[in-house]
Amino acid sequence: MPSTIDAVVPVPDQYGQFWMLSGNRYLRIAIADGEPHKDTVVRGPGTFDEWPSLEGFDHIDAVVPVPDQHSQFWMLSGNRYVRIAIGGGEPHPDTVVRGPGTFDEWPSLAEF
């Protein structure tokens, strides 16, 4: 069992399913509608070795959905990021859209 969950990524084409990220590992779970919202394991645990777009990352601190791209996410780690697209259907292939890069490329964070 992980000691912490670092980030959560919704599965784009599977309502109620999420990848839970901890260190360089993941677990995909489904959370059922209705109380008590039972959770079940769908896949994993596994490692980032199964996510080609996360090559070189040993953890993800946060995930930000790209507002106008339903299946794209910025994956943030330390002062680095990579923007990925997650394909529909099993096994949900992931590809790099932009990056990896650093927050120097994000003007809004310059004074942060």
Side-chain angles (χ1 to χ4, degrees):
M1 177 183 314
S3 59
T4 63
I5 299 297
D6 301 321
V8 177
V9 182
V11 179
D13 63 347
Q14 297 294 321
Y15 175 79
Q17 290 191 20
F18 304 89
W19 286 288
M20 311 299 271
L21 309 180
S22 179
N24 72 341
R25 297 171 44 112
Y26 78 90
L27 182 68
R28 182 171 154 191
I29 66 169
I31 301 175
D33 285 343
E35 295 295 337
H37 296 98
K38 182 180 176 186
D39 62 296
T40 56
V41 173
V42 175
R43 174 172 285 156
T47 67
F48 286 179
D49 293 339
E50 299 171 39
W51 294 54
S53 60
L54 296 181
E55 183 177 344
F57 288 86
D58 60 2
H59 73 284
I60 298 297
D61 297 314
V63 175
V64 179
V66 176
D68 58 348
Q69 300 294 324
H70 172 70
S71 62
Q72 291 189 20
F73 304 89
W74 286 287
M75 310 291 267
L76 312 178
S77 178
N79 71 341
R80 299 180 334 146
Y81 79 92
V82 64
R83 180 174 163 181
I84 70 168
I86 299 176
E90 296 299 333
H92 293 91
D94 59 292
T95 57
V96 173
V97 175
R98 179 172 293 152
T102 67
F103 290 151
D104 293 338
E105 300 169 26
W106 292 44
S108 61
L109 298 179
E111 300 298 321
F112 194 56

